[in-house]
Amino acid sequence: MIFSFCFICVFALLVNKVCLQVTVEGFIGGSVVLPCSSAEHNHKLQDIDVSWRHNGSKIVFDIIPHSNAPVTQDSEYKNRTETFPQEYQRGNFSIKLNRLQHTDAGQYICYIKNSDEYHTLKLTINGSISTEQGNQGGTEQDRVFPSLPLRLVCIIIPVMLFIGVIIFIVVFLKRKYSKYRAAGNGVKFPSTKGKQL
């Protein structure tokens, strides 16, 4: 029974982690903002060191404002990335990726070294911006967050798991209480009949 409870807890954590990953949608030839914000605020410029990586190894952009060295990035991202320097001290290390290509799809990691924070997101690329965006509608901010069905799944599954755990605990306690009562009813006390006071 303890094993089942542990399994449910681990499964709930895994579901929660998957649901928290942001999915961003982009279009061929268009631009997209890849969000990354630190939990800490009031960063000092000399402490900021942020790395953006694509599919684990490709260097998209390194944000190191206190360094005079040229920006480190793979050639396929040169002249296609923008940052928001006025936002650095507030903990916003988002980047904008322009002239999107099919090869830009995949997982992006934003690693904020000073606070040891990782943020992962998935970028999906659809058809050309002229045809797809006209049909899709919506703002860029609408496409930064997971779709409504995914959000519903991410809410419903943890709630159902929580209810399942509660039911499991109630059933377990009822069985234990029933055994205790059954054991209590079966106890025989010595008879006092025939004894004189």
Side-chain angles (χ1 to χ4, degrees):
M1 290 209 182
I2 293 173
F3 176 75
S4 300
F5 180 73
C6 291
F7 175 77
I8 290 170
C9 290
V10 169
F11 183 73
L13 287 172
L14 290 174
V15 167
N16 196 32
K17 186 174 173 109
V18 169
C19 291
L20 287 177
Q21 180 172 329
V22 174
T23 300
V24 180
E25 184 181 9
F27 299 90
I28 295 292
S31 300
V32 72
V33 173
L34 305 178
C36 177
S37 296
S38 172
E40 297 178 16
H41 298 286
N42 302 321
H43 288 264
K44 295 177 182 172
L45 286 177
Q46 66 267 22
D47 295 333
I48 295 172
D49 190 347
V50 179
S51 301
W52 273 96
R53 298 293 179 265
H54 179 209
N55 290 336
S57 60
K58 293 181 181 177
I59 303 170
V60 182
F61 202 90
D62 284 340
I63 300 173
I64 313 172
H66 57 86
S67 173
N68 293 327
V71 172
T72 308
Q73 62 184 160
D74 286 357
S75 58
E76 62 190 281
Y77 305 105
K78 284 195 185 297
N79 303 317
R80 293 205 300 130
T81 51
E82 295 176 43
T83 61
F84 308 95
Q86 68 279 9
E87 295 288 318
Y88 292 167
Q89 289 181 297
R90 286 194 280 264
N92 182 358
F93 305 111
S94 304
I95 61 171
K96 186 176 182 182
L97 191 57
N98 300 308
R99 298 189 305 281
L100 292 172
Q101 308 162 4
H102 277 298
T103 54
D104 292 328
Q107 187 183 58
Y108 286 80
I109 296 175
C110 170
Y111 175 44
I112 305 167
K113 293 180 185 174
N114 189 40
S115 54
D116 206 28
E117 293 177 67
Y118 279 94
H119 298 275
T120 63
L121 61 97
K122 182 181 177 183
L123 175 61
T124 59
I125 304 292
N126 292 317
S128 69
I129 191 166
S130 56
T131 58
E132 292 285 338
Q133 202 170 32
N135 295 337
Q136 284 274 13
T139 63
E140 189 170 296
Q141 185 176 355
D142 292 335
R143 295 189 301 273
V144 168
F145 298 100
S147 63
L148 183 61
L150 179 61
R151 278 187 275 175
L152 286 175
V153 167
C154 291
I155 292 168
I156 291 169
I157 290 177
V159 167
M160 290 186 72
L161 284 171
F162 178 74
I163 291 169
V165 168
I166 297 297
I167 291 171
F168 173 81
I169 291 170
V170 168
V171 168
F172 177 75
L173 290 175
K174 268 190 170 181
R175 282 186 183 170
K176 199 153 186 133
Y177 181 71
S178 296
K179 286 180 184 176
Y180 176 74
R181 281 189 68 189
N185 289 339
V187 173
K188 293 186 180 179
F189 294 99
S191 175
T192 55
K193 206 172 185 182
K195 285 193 178 177
Q196 306 242 345
L197 293 175

